[in-house]
Amino acid sequence: MKKNRQLNQWLWKWHFIAGLISLPFIILLSITGGLYLFKADYEASKHKDIKEVVVQGAPISLQQQWEIANKNAIKKPNTMILTSAANQATEFISGRFGGKSSLYVNPYSGAVSGEIITRDTTMFKIRKLHGELLSGKFGTKIVELIASWMMVLILTGLYVWWPDRGRKIKGVFIPRMNEGKRTFYRDIHAITGFWISGLLLLILAGGFPWTDVVGENFKQLQKITNTGYPATWKGHQLQSKDKGDALTLDQMAAKAEDLQLPGTVMIHFPKGPKSVFSVSNVNPSDLNTQKKIHFDQYSGQQILSNNWDDVGILMRGRMWVMAFHQGEFGAWSWWLMLLTAIALTIMSISALVSYVMRKRKGNWGIPKVPVTFKIGYGIMVSIVILAIVFPLFGISLLLIISTEYLRAKIKKS
């Protein structure tokens, strides 16, 4: 394909600007993202003394364990995890997300083996660094801005990389080893970027649901199109019929076990005398198996069952890309995310090295574009679409263009 040379220069300029804005942050995000992939292994080792117990005879009832948890937890538990092995402590959960805490009860002795407060863990801090630079809402918006510019980096980078007619394999698909250090680092950056570009776009899609602007807009779109969770998923509007004593937790656990749900199975406790028991499972490796089932807390009768097919298409797509982003589809996806994080780090560092070698003293080295070059309608429409979908990108782009315009005016005057 014969490329438009002026368009190539213009896109390279914006690729360059996008890199200057975001590259240091991208290195940080790729490293912290790679570290967070080790969360399960790290916490299994660190919290082994809390989560694992010595099997000693017959366990006490789950109802007794629930009462122990209610007395000892920082906040009253709202959920219990069904244990899958005899040497596991019973986990009682309070709160959600950053406010989550898990209290573990030894099912044999009734002793509290420990409580894990999510916000105090090392991996939570790494996640906060990855998602908001440890700066709250402001940091979240910075990360969203960087992720938006990464879309520009990928799209412009692919065009700049695209080979002209007659280019050989070396320098296009594999790096050139014998044409100097700057060429080598440039090739490492460009070629690695080509090989992982599709993955990066998918990983970015999995990160945007956590953002403040794009994520919130997506939630609003789900509401408007009614493509999120069904209204019955949480079961807030469902009621139990008060007829005598409520089921014990042991009776409810037996019903949950009979469902034979894959993954991590949770029992959600009734919030009052009229509310219901709910059973759900988390199984990112096969989202289609996830369910939410509600039971009358007195009779134990199943009131309603929601399958994954009942969840709207936008929410299902959102949960899929988020699970992919975290490497939760099994060992293959975990390794794929780790290798991508490593490749992104290498690609970013090689870009910086290549830039330092190319840069002249007293000059930013921004590629020059002929003043006669005019942006085509296709490019303009693409920019408008990106600015609408990624509003922070649009705002930052207006600021950059306004600054360039004012600087040019000042030079003329």
Side-chain angles (χ1 to χ4, degrees):
M1 181 188 84
K2 191 68 176 176
K3 288 200 292 187
N4 182 319
R5 283 292 172 189
Q6 291 190 352
L7 175 61
N8 188 80
Q9 197 75 0
W10 186 82
L11 289 174
W12 184 29
K13 173 185 174 180
W14 283 103
H15 183 81
F16 190 91
I17 291 171
L20 286 178
I21 293 170
S22 55
L23 219 49
F25 293 98
I26 292 172
I27 293 171
L28 175 65
L29 294 176
S30 58
I31 291 172
T32 53
L35 288 173
Y36 193 74
L37 289 169
F38 293 90
K39 177 179 183 292
D41 293 328
Y42 172 79
E43 292 188 342
S45 174
K46 186 174 180 62
H47 300 139
K48 186 176 180 179
D49 59 326
I50 295 176
K51 295 182 177 183
E52 293 186 11
V53 298
V54 177
V55 179
Q56 298 174 327
I60 61 176
S61 70
L62 289 173
Q63 187 70 25
Q64 287 176 282
Q65 294 180 54
W66 186 9
E67 290 166 4
I68 292 167
N70 280 331
K71 290 177 184 176
N72 291 278
I74 293 174
K75 293 184 289 186
K76 191 173 181 179
N78 50 36
T79 302
M80 184 196 82
I81 305 290
L82 281 184
T83 55
S84 57
N87 68 336
Q88 288 181 348
T90 308
E91 180 180 359
F92 292 89
I93 298 173
S94 308
R96 301 171 65 205
F97 307 123
K100 177 184 171 184
S101 61
S102 293
L103 182 131
Y104 292 84
V105 176
N106 185 317
Y108 303 100
S109 67
V112 174
S113 58
E115 186 167 15
I116 299 171
I117 300 170
T118 297
R119 66 175 177 271
D120 294 338
T121 62
T122 300
M123 279 298 170
F124 182 76
K125 291 179 175 64
I126 290 175
R127 179 170 183 165
K128 284 294 182 182
L129 180 59
H130 181 75
E132 57 185 50
L133 307 176
L134 300 179
S135 303
K137 290 287 186 182
F138 175 76
T140 303
K141 289 181 176 62
I142 295 297
V143 171
E144 181 174 351
L145 176 63
I146 298 306
S148 302
W149 274 101
M150 279 186 73
M151 302 293 288
V152 177
L153 274 169
I154 294 167
L155 297 175
T156 56
L158 282 173
Y159 187 89
V160 172
W161 162 88
W162 193 272
D164 281 327
R165 208 176 297 166
R167 291 277 294 275
K168 296 180 180 180
I169 291 178
K170 285 187 177 181
V172 178
F173 297 106
I174 58 173
R176 290 165 285 186
M177 309 290 287
N178 55 356
E179 295 188 27
K181 288 183 179 180
R182 191 169 77 81
T183 298
F184 173 74
Y185 286 116
R186 175 263 172 205
D187 283 359
I188 289 291
H189 169 71
I191 294 166
T192 305
F194 159 71
W195 286 115
I196 67 172
S197 57
L199 272 175
L200 286 179
L201 289 171
L202 198 53
I203 292 168
L204 284 171
F208 276 110
W210 279 291
T211 60
D212 285 349
V213 182
V214 174
E216 189 57 37
N217 289 344
F218 193 81
K219 289 176 186 176
Q220 292 302 318
L221 181 61
Q222 285 178 183
K223 288 179 182 178
I224 293 168
T225 57
N226 194 28
T227 51
Y229 281 111
T232 53
W233 188 267
K234 291 184 177 180
H236 291 164
Q237 74 279 42
L238 302 177
Q239 289 191 342
S240 295
K241 295 179 180 178
D242 191 348
K243 291 183 179 178
D245 296 330
L247 294 178
T248 66
L249 185 52
D250 298 82
Q251 291 171 317
M252 191 61 243
K255 289 183 176 293
E257 287 170 354
D258 287 343
L259 296 170
Q260 296 186 335
L261 298 174
T264 302
V265 181
M266 296 171 284
I267 297 176
H268 309 276
F269 306 142
K271 295 182 178 178
K274 289 290 185 182
S275 55
V276 299
F277 271 115
S278 300
V279 176
S280 67
N281 65 317
V282 177
N283 191 32
S285 61
D286 188 359
L287 294 171
N288 291 323
T289 63
Q290 294 187 162
K291 296 184 178 184
K292 188 73 174 283
I293 305 165
H294 307 285
F295 295 85
D296 186 296
Q297 67 167 300
Y298 300 99
S299 67
Q301 289 183 338
Q302 189 178 128
I303 299 173
L304 183 69
S305 176
N306 284 129
N307 298 320
W308 195 243
D309 288 340
D310 298 323
V311 178
I313 188 169
L314 289 186
M315 178 58 81
R316 279 184 280 148
R318 174 186 171 188
M319 297 305 292
W320 191 94
V321 292
M322 289 171 77
F324 183 81
H325 183 92
Q326 298 183 99
E328 294 180 333
F329 291 148
W332 68 267
S333 70
W334 187 91
W335 279 105
L336 188 63
M337 291 304 101
L338 179 62
L339 292 173
T340 303
I342 293 170
L344 181 57
T345 305
I346 293 171
M347 182 183 77
S348 302
I349 292 172
S350 63
L352 286 175
V353 172
S354 177
Y355 169 68
V356 169
M357 288 182 170
R358 171 181 174 275
K359 182 181 177 298
R360 295 177 182 176
K361 192 173 181 180
N363 190 326
W364 282 99
I366 297 174
K368 302 293 183 183
V369 180
V371 292
T372 55
F373 175 71
K374 301 295 181 184
I375 304 170
Y377 288 113
I379 296 293
M380 290 182 68
V381 169
S382 300
I383 292 171
V384 170
I385 291 172
L386 284 171
I388 292 171
V389 176
F390 308 108
L392 295 184
F393 160 72
I395 294 168
S396 64
L397 185 61
L398 285 174
L399 287 172
I400 292 170
I401 293 172
S402 299
T403 302
E404 280 207 338
Y405 177 78
L406 289 172
R407 192 174 66 177
K409 281 285 186 184
I410 292 168
K411 275 187 178 180
K412 287 181 180 179
S413 60

